[in-house]
Amino acid sequence: MFQFSDINVIFPETSRTFKASYKCLPMSMLPGNERQDLDNGGKIIMAPSALDALTRFNVEYPMLFKLINVEKDRQSHAGVLEFVADEGNCYLPFWMMDNLLLEESDIINIESVSLPVAKFSKFQPTSVAFLDITNPKAVLENALRNFACLTTGDVIAIKYNKKIYKLCVLETKPGNAVSIIECDMNVEFEVPVGYKEGPGHSEDNVLNEEQKGNVMEEVVETFKGSGVRLDGKKKKESQLDSPVIRKVLPRGVPDYDYKFGVLKFDRSAKPISHRVPEGNSEATAPVEDSFQGQGFSMTKPP
């Protein structure tokens, strides 16, 4: 039976490094846990005694920790969410326990560390289902708000639209483990695992042909024919009709070129003449002379 006396906490007087060993448990076993978002992030829950020790050591903020599974020779990094765990216990997200090859009640070593601020990271989705997300960078940015650091080689889990997506951290700079709190980090995505190229496709373009056609710019000719000035003078060369270029986006895709404070009106609606059904002979028949017949004046009797 596991007892608190089996937990070793090292408090060296000459060092500012916190080191301790805890019994590892999943977030779902936290007493009184009614929150469903504890697994959606990269932070752990530790005991109040750990906070007391960290305060006495004057550990640098934000508090970051290295998690080590000595038996399986696996390690990762995490931040701390709360100090409300029972003494001797430490609660981890399920995906983190999976990375560290930890089972319930296994012993994990934890020590405080200082990590460099992230400048670059590269991710690879473990499933092609990740391609269904319209704006993956925005989704990832929102999900990483619940993380404190990243470790190269980890497979993190993010939740979006009630679905869990797993991403492998292929690379981080300037080190193999980085802090992502208050940083400006460039993000890249590798082709998802299991993705197969079709004919005429490349790795840099995962949109289908219909989507690519909708996103590209097209030339629309407006006001065909020659124009005449009301005063009878000839038109200047600068006033000659020219094609209008517009950008057409597929329905449901936001305009990423939008500038704050600029209001744009959509002029891409179909002309009335194009909306007439082909079977309507009266509307499609050419009109040679409009307003035929005799006119009358309202001021004089006919």
Side-chain angles (χ1 to χ4, degrees):
M1 182 176 178
F2 186 85
Q3 298 180 356
F4 179 66
S5 58
D6 297 329
I7 300 299
N8 297 321
V9 183
I10 303 175
F11 299 144
E13 297 181 357
T14 58
S15 174
R16 297 177 61 186
T17 302
F18 167 83
K19 294 183 180 181
S21 299
Y22 291 98
K23 180 173 67 173
C24 175
L25 296 172
M27 289 289 190
S28 58
M29 297 187 64
L30 181 67
N33 177 25
E34 298 179 355
R35 297 160 57 183
Q36 303 296 328
D37 60 339
L38 294 180
D39 275 318
N40 303 329
K43 298 180 181 180
I44 62 177
I45 295 180
M46 303 176 67
S49 60
L51 176 60
D52 180 63
L54 290 165
T55 304
R56 287 190 285 113
F57 286 160
N58 295 323
V59 176
E60 296 181 3
Y61 288 87
M63 294 183 181
L64 302 177
F65 303 92
K66 179 188 291 186
L67 313 180
I68 306 171
N69 183 357
V70 179
E71 293 185 1
K72 299 297 179 69
D73 193 22
R74 299 293 292 267
Q75 65 180 25
S76 183
H77 297 80
V80 60
L81 183 63
E82 297 174 352
F83 293 92
V84 296
D86 296 334
E87 292 299 334
N89 295 340
C90 180
Y91 296 89
L92 277 67
F94 179 78
W95 67 265
M96 194 176 295
M97 293 182 61
D98 193 26
N99 281 335
L100 294 171
L101 303 178
L102 288 169
E103 299 291 340
E104 181 183 330
S105 300
D106 284 351
I107 302 300
I108 182 173
N109 294 343
I110 299 179
E111 61 181 64
S112 60
V113 293
S114 178
L115 300 178
V117 178
K119 295 183 179 179
F120 171 83
S121 61
K122 190 174 185 179
F123 300 88
Q124 182 180 30
T126 60
S127 172
V128 293
F130 190 75
L131 299 178
D132 297 335
I133 300 177
T134 304
N135 192 346
K137 286 190 176 181
V139 172
L140 180 63
E141 179 182 357
N142 184 62
L144 290 181
R145 294 176 182 176
N146 298 322
F147 288 72
C149 50
L150 294 173
T151 306
T152 301
D154 277 359
V155 179
I156 65 173
I158 63 174
K159 187 175 182 180
Y160 177 70
N161 281 349
K162 299 182 179 181
K163 293 183 179 180
I164 302 296
Y165 298 92
K166 293 185 177 181
L167 303 173
C168 179
V169 184
L170 296 181
E171 184 181 0
T172 56
K173 292 180 181 180
N176 291 331
V178 292
S179 170
I180 60 173
I181 298 177
E182 297 181 359
C183 70
D184 186 9
M185 179 176 65
N186 295 323
V187 176
E188 287 186 5
F189 289 98
E190 186 65 34
V191 177
V193 176
Y195 175 75
K196 297 180 180 179
E197 287 188 38
H201 289 71
S202 63
E203 293 184 359
D204 297 332
N205 190 1
V206 295
L207 297 174
N208 57 36
E209 295 296 330
E210 180 180 357
Q211 289 175 323
K212 288 193 295 183
N214 288 333
V215 175
M216 294 176 62
E217 293 185 350
E218 64 177 1
V219 177
V220 181
E221 295 184 4
T222 57
F223 302 105
K224 296 181 179 180
S226 59
V228 180
R229 291 171 59 105
L230 294 176
D231 55 7
K233 297 181 180 179
K234 294 184 178 181
K235 294 175 60 177
K236 298 180 181 179
E237 293 184 0
S238 60
Q239 296 176 339
L240 296 177
D241 295 327
S242 59
V244 178
I245 299 178
R246 68 180 181 184
K247 180 182 292 186
V248 180
L249 295 174
R251 187 178 182 86
V253 177
D255 183 7
Y256 298 108
D257 297 330
Y258 170 75
K259 296 181 179 179
F260 183 78
V262 179
L263 184 61
K264 297 181 181 179
F265 295 93
D266 185 11
R267 308 287 186 178
S268 60
K270 271 190 173 183
I272 298 298
S273 59
H274 292 177
R275 302 179 188 175
V276 179
E278 296 181 357
N280 193 340
S281 58
E282 295 182 0
T284 56
V287 180
E288 298 180 357
D289 189 6
S290 302
F291 304 104
Q292 297 181 0
Q294 185 179 0
F296 297 94
S297 173
M298 298 181 65
T299 58
K300 295 181 181 180

